[in-house]
Amino acid sequence: MKKIAVFASGNGSNFQVIAEEFPVEFVFSDHRDAYVLERAEKLGVLSYAFELKEFENKADYEVALVELLEEHQIDLVCLAGYMKIVGPTLLATYEGRIINIHPAYLPEFPGAQGIEDAWNAGVTESGVTIHWVDSGVDTGKVIKQVRVPRLADDTIESFEARIHEAEYKLYPEVIRELLYK
Ligand code: GRF
């Protein structure tokens, strides 16, 4: 059985969708008060939380993450709203085993505001991307992406909701293809 860990910083709706379909070994949050931790408890998924500011530096923080991943013999790390750049310490041991979901059609609109940036640019379509994680911001090799239209009567809320629905479909599809085929 392949082992999945999910990293999330906040809400955790993508984590929930993943955990409802696949066994998740643990979820990690870099915020001790993140809502994703409540979701984990309700779903009976093991969770860990610690914050960068509790460590001397990012390398030490990531050493703690690597220890957790190794202790649990994790095969695939799924970033799902994990709002930190993965640093060299984590990449050194796990590059090639970390994937991320981004709410735009990369290389269009990388960065933390992918949905708002697409909306403000007035696009007629955006999308969702799952990619391998490298040292850049949303620059790793694309695994799979889908287009999501912006409709004439969309508000940013309805546009955002359609993008999230596409995320909830695409992330499980990719995990299935990577781990279970
Ligand atoms: C998602 O839109 C994801 O693409 C982005 O952050 C958001 C996380 O949402 N990286 P949630 O925490 O899974 O609800």
Side-chain angles (χ1 to χ4, degrees), residues 8-16 36 39 79-83 100-104 112 115 128-129 138 160 163-164 167-168:
S9 299
N11 177 34
S13 62
N14 281 280
F15 155 72
Q16 174 140 1
V36 68
R39 293 186 192 264
L79 307 186
Y82 177 66
M83 299 306 286
N100 181 45
I101 185 161
H102 183 73
I115 299 174
V128 172
T129 303
D138 304 322
E160 181 165 2
I163 287 180
H164 290 313
E167 293 190 309
Y168 304 152

Side-chain angles (χ1 to χ4, degrees), residues 94-155:
Y94 275 86
E95 188 159 16
R97 290 183 283 174
I98 310 176
I99 62 177
N100 181 45
I101 185 161
H102 183 73
Y105 201 88
L106 291 172
E108 299 168 11
F109 308 110
Q113 310 291 329
I115 299 174
E116 291 84 345
D117 291 348
W119 176 263
N120 291 332
V123 295
T124 54
E125 57 177 8
S126 185
V128 172
T129 303
I130 312 280
H131 64 93
W132 294 106
V133 170
D134 65 10
S135 58
V137 177
D138 304 322
T139 51
K141 190 172 185 292
V142 169
I143 302 170
K144 198 165 189 179
Q145 38 190 182
V146 287
R147 280 293 185 184
V148 176
R150 170 181 172 162
L151 304 180
D153 61 351
D154 263 344
T155 59

Side-chain angles (χ1 to χ4, degrees), residues 6-25:
V6 177
F7 287 11
S9 299
N11 177 34
S13 62
N14 281 280
F15 155 72
Q16 174 140 1
V17 167
I18 294 167
E20 282 171 353
E21 178 163 347
F22 307 97
V24 171
E25 181 76 9

Side-chain angles (χ1 to χ4, degrees), residues 27-88:
V27 61
F28 166 73
S29 178
D30 61 326
H31 292 292
R32 289 182 180 273
D33 58 357
Y35 184 60
V36 68
L37 299 168
E38 289 178 38
R39 293 186 192 264
E41 194 175 346
K42 285 193 195 117
L43 289 161
V45 174
L46 177 65
S47 67
Y48 296 99
F50 49 77
E51 305 202 3
L52 176 55
K53 65 181 185 218
E54 295 160 13
F55 293 80
E56 282 285 307
N57 52 48
K58 190 155 174 186
D60 286 358
Y61 160 83
E62 288 199 338
V63 165
L65 284 175
V66 168
E67 279 170 9
L68 270 184
L69 294 170
E70 286 180 341
E71 181 189 325
H72 287 273
Q73 300 182 302
I74 295 301
D75 297 292
L76 186 69
V77 181
C78 300
L79 307 186
Y82 177 66
M83 299 306 286
K84 281 193 172 50
I85 294 169
V86 173

